[in-house]
Amino acid sequence: MSTANGGKVVVVGGGVIGAACAHYLSRSGWRVTVLDKGKFGAACSHANCGYVSPSHVLPLAAPGAVRKSLISMFKPDSAFRIKPRFDPTLWGWLLRFARRGNHADMMESAKGINALLQSSRVLYDTLVKDDGLECDWQDRGILFVNRTAAGLAHATETAHLVRDHFGLTPELVEGDALTALEPSLKPGLAGAWLYRIDAHLRADKLMTSWHKSLLAAGVEVREGCEVTGIARAGSTATAVQTTQGDVTADAFVVAAGALTPKLSKSLGFKVPIQPGKGYSITMARPANCPTYPMIFEEHRVAITPFSDGLRIGSTMEFAGYNEETNPRRLAILRNGAAHYFKEPLDAPVQEEWWGWRPMTTDSRPIIGPSPAAGNLYVAAGHNMLGLSMATGTGKLVTELLNGQTPHVDPAPYSATRF
């Protein structure tokens, strides 16, 4: 459909995906209203690690991933954990995830992931440099640091795979060269791969700046407005039903992240997204602050340095829509990081945080029209890469709504693929 240059569109969700959709839709002529049940940018887009990372091209469901997960998932102190409970929806999701743990399915998913990552990386340059969004943007790359020889060997296999199939050019850094490049690291680590294509930003600053930019562009943002359903007349969506009353529009985009399954009935299909809870600790900038963002894959810990602070993040906990902060998960972050740094990261803590990542079984998002209505679109399920894929997603949604030729093939993200 195309009713741009005057048409009204409602975007459900004020996270980074909703913000990106609102940005590109507004610029193409749509009158945009964003609805969020809480505060704009306050959910999973608030305190994540802030990576814009084309390096993260491979899906979680890879050969060997299921076996490793089964070994660790019931251990309370494992970086990956499933809270034991009776949940048929979760177990069905896990079964479909397990079936994709083979090379062919991994590479199929990677192609779709890669297209959005590459697109978004280019678009972020424009967003920051030309549109002036303030977000502590830094583009020196990301270091994937390995403590053991076995860990480095696995990272090397991955580096060669993404080099040969996706054109990435990671660089191996070993021995004294590693501590020279990143002096905060302990000597004696096995080595690291540096992906210079990657960048990082501070997510909360991005969302604050984007909020101001959208308002200045005439986008309406309604906070504290929970969407409870979507009214339809036949195969056309007519309004979203909210706690503040019905909101009518010509088109609708549901970008509600991990909460999207709660609208499955209205969307006309069972949305296969599970909430995967991630944690982070944000602290003041320590005296021994690292220069590079780093991922310690053997401990599932990520480090992001900012101009005014540092964030430790990651872990994955499938605990449903549990809203409690689990202190053991936060301790895992600190304990994991301690294996790699010369000195402890002991600066004053500014925030301890968690957010629900919207996890799909194939690590690809759902982007495109709902089976129920041609003017009702979904843009959700970006797994751990919402920030990394946001700009490409917003542009793709806008192209689809405008009836334009998409800049990336939308087929890998279809809601009908499950």
Side-chain angles (χ1 to χ4, degrees), residues 12-13 15 17 37 43-45 254-264 271-278 317-318 320-322 354-360 366 378-383:
V12 180
I17 301 299
K37 66 174 294 187
C44 200
S45 299
V254 177
L259 297 177
T260 303
K262 295 182 180 294
L263 294 173
S264 286
V271 180
I273 290 174
Q274 280 289 318
K277 188 185 285 187
E317 182 181 32
F318 285 94
Y321 292 101
N322 181 293
W354 60 264
W356 288 318
R357 304 180 181 108
M359 307 300 294
T360 61
I366 304 166
V378 181
H382 290 74
N383 294 262

Side-chain angles (χ1 to χ4, degrees), residues 75-97:
K75 296 178 180 179
D77 294 325
S78 169
F80 175 76
R81 179 176 180 262
I82 295 177
K83 183 178 180 180
R85 65 191 188 279
F86 179 71
D87 186 342
T89 300
L90 171 63
W91 292 106
W93 186 98
L94 290 170
L95 179 60
R96 292 190 295 274
F97 176 86

Side-chain angles (χ1 to χ4, degrees), residues 120-394:
S120 293
R121 179 64 181 84
V122 173
L123 291 168
Y124 265 111
D125 277 330
T126 300
L127 193 70
V128 174
K129 296 173 183 176
D130 296 343
D131 297 336
L133 289 194
E134 299 175 1
C135 57
D136 199 2
W137 174 261
Q138 300 178 53
D139 58 359
R140 60 174 54 93
I142 295 178
L143 268 177
F144 288 68
V145 182
N146 298 275
R147 188 181 180 210
T148 68
L152 182 61
H154 180 265
T156 299
E157 290 180 8
T158 299
H160 291 168
L161 180 66
V162 300
R163 178 197 64 195
D164 296 343
H165 291 273
F166 302 104
L168 300 182
T169 56
E171 304 166 25
L172 180 61
V173 188
E174 296 179 282
D176 293 341
L178 179 56
T179 48
L181 181 68
E182 181 49 75
S184 66
L185 292 172
K186 289 179 178 179
L189 298 173
W193 283 92
L194 172 61
Y195 288 76
R196 293 190 185 274
I197 191 174
D198 290 347
H200 71 282
L201 53 79
R202 183 152 179 161
D204 49 340
K205 290 187 176 182
L206 171 70
M207 297 307 294
T208 297
S209 183
W210 221 339
H211 191 192
K212 293 178 181 178
S213 175
L214 290 173
L215 293 176
V219 173
E220 180 185 7
V221 178
R222 297 191 194 179
E223 299 179 326
C225 184
E226 182 176 1
V227 173
T228 57
I230 300 169
R232 298 198 307 266
S235 59
T236 301
T238 57
V240 287
Q241 300 156 332
T242 84
T243 52
Q244 296 180 9
D246 288 1
V247 184
T248 61
D250 301 298
F252 304 85
V253 179
V254 177
L259 297 177
T260 303
K262 295 182 180 294
L263 294 173
S264 286
K265 185 175 180 180
S266 294
L267 290 170
F269 71 106
K270 191 171 182 179
V271 180
I273 290 174
Q274 280 289 318
K277 188 185 285 187
Y279 286 81
S280 75
I281 301 169
T282 305
M283 61 183 64
R285 189 174 171 89
N288 60 328
C289 192
T291 300
Y292 285 86
M294 290 179 278
I295 296 177
F296 307 141
E297 193 168 2
E298 290 165 280
H299 288 86
R300 299 293 191 269
V301 171
I303 304 292
T304 312
F306 303 123
S307 61
D308 58 354
L310 180 135
R311 183 164 291 153
I312 312 172
S314 204
T315 79
M316 180 74 73
E317 182 181 32
F318 285 94
Y321 292 101
N322 181 293
E323 297 186 9
E324 298 176 355
T325 298
N326 186 339
R328 297 181 77 165
R329 311 305 293 169
L330 294 168
I332 289 170
L333 299 179
R334 283 190 173 277
N335 294 338
H339 291 288
Y340 298 84
F341 289 113
K342 289 178 183 175
E343 301 175 22
L345 300 176
D346 54 3
V349 171
Q350 298 171 339
E351 183 178 21
E352 294 179 339
W353 173 90
W354 60 264
W356 288 318
R357 304 180 181 108
M359 307 300 294
T360 61
T361 54
D362 59 8
S363 296
R364 280 177 277 162
I366 304 166
I367 305 171
S370 156
N375 66 334
L376 175 58
Y377 279 68
V378 181
H382 290 74
N383 294 262
M384 301 169 71
L385 298 173
L387 189 72
S388 289
M389 293 180 167
T391 47
T393 297

